[in-house]
Amino acid sequence: METAAAEWTASPDGMPGRRAGRRFGAWSAGLLFLGVSVVVGCRVADTDGITPVPQFLAFLPWLLAPTGLGLLLALFSRWWFGVVWAVALFGLLAWFIEPYGKTGEPDGPALVSFRVLTSNVEFGHATDSLVDAVRREKPDIVFVQECEYTCDARLKEALGTDYPHRAAQVAAGSAGSVVLSRFPLDSATSAEGVDGIDGSMAMPGAVADVRGHAVRLQLAHPMPPLPGRIDLWRRELGALRDFAAEDAADRRTPLILAGDFNASQDHAAFRRILDTGLRDAARLAGHDRTPSWPAPTTPAFGVQIDHVLLSADFSARTARFLDLADTDHRALLTDVTLHQRR
């Protein structure tokens, strides 16, 4: 009788519960694949979608982890369709992990070389750490985001002598930004009639006289892709794109567009900016996937959302990400060279 009961309750393969375990594994793998597929599908469609897709798109390379877990579950469950699904996702992720945007060296001879640094000091908390880094690395131009009133006062006190020229829109909290320069600066009025680009947070701009050569400087700090503010984030990145496209149509003045873009190359809105012809200095220097945020988990885990974008007049020799205390961003330091146009 006991034998008959065991035969009645056993699964067809002779082991009770194995079928249920496989079913659970297949369902779990399917849910993982479905979530990854939504994000990858938006990447294929060249759109950022809606929350939470933009947030996951920022970490696109890390989607290899849930895809790998799903593959193991599919193999365990002998769900062969799931295995094929996983292989397809791996192929798409590998394709999109490749760097995006133009590269190449300018044809003309070198005119002048200088050093650029961009740093988000997180509500001004990392100002002292930034001052130490600036004194140590000696950049010629410094883009500072989230520089509020005490940050601005500290920069004037500590660096005012070495950086007598500035373009600043100082405000409370995360809204203020400052551009410091060893080179003389002139105002750069945008199409909207302001110095820089209008946004939720300050994005000042100027034209630098770099040893006799005009270089347009523009700080970038659009709204992050917070839930409920995706449209604003997309609109402000679009304003940066329009600015870059307007400058590309002119191209009389070389351009450096730098700052915390709150976007990576896996965001369609950021790729639109690169599509205007700008080059990412970190990519030119071989660091296209080096994370800059969140600082506590970099370089093991993170995403590159801090960028120095250059018009085709520039080459970039080096790019280094610096760890600063009291901020969730790493600073980006790059050496660039302006070339003569042919």
Side-chain angles (χ1 to χ4, degrees), residues 181-201:
S181 175
R182 296 184 187 273
F183 309 120
L185 298 179
D186 288 329
S187 62
T189 304
S190 69
E192 291 78 18
V194 297
D195 290 343
I197 298 174
D198 191 25
S200 304
M201 297 179 287

Side-chain angles (χ1 to χ4, degrees), residues 61 203 205 223 238 269 278 321:
M203 293 189 278
M223 176 64 64
L278 296 180
F321 289 87

Side-chain angles (χ1 to χ4, degrees), residues 188 206-210 213-217 243-244 246-256 278 310-314 338 341:
V207 176
D209 181 357
V210 182
H213 305 281
V215 175
R216 188 162 189 179
L217 310 176
F243 165 81
E246 177 187 346
D247 185 81
D250 184 354
R251 278 295 182 255
R252 288 177 294 183
T253 306
L255 172 65
I256 298 177
L278 296 180
L310 309 168
S311 61
D313 313 270
F314 290 96
L338 175 63
R341 294 178 182 174

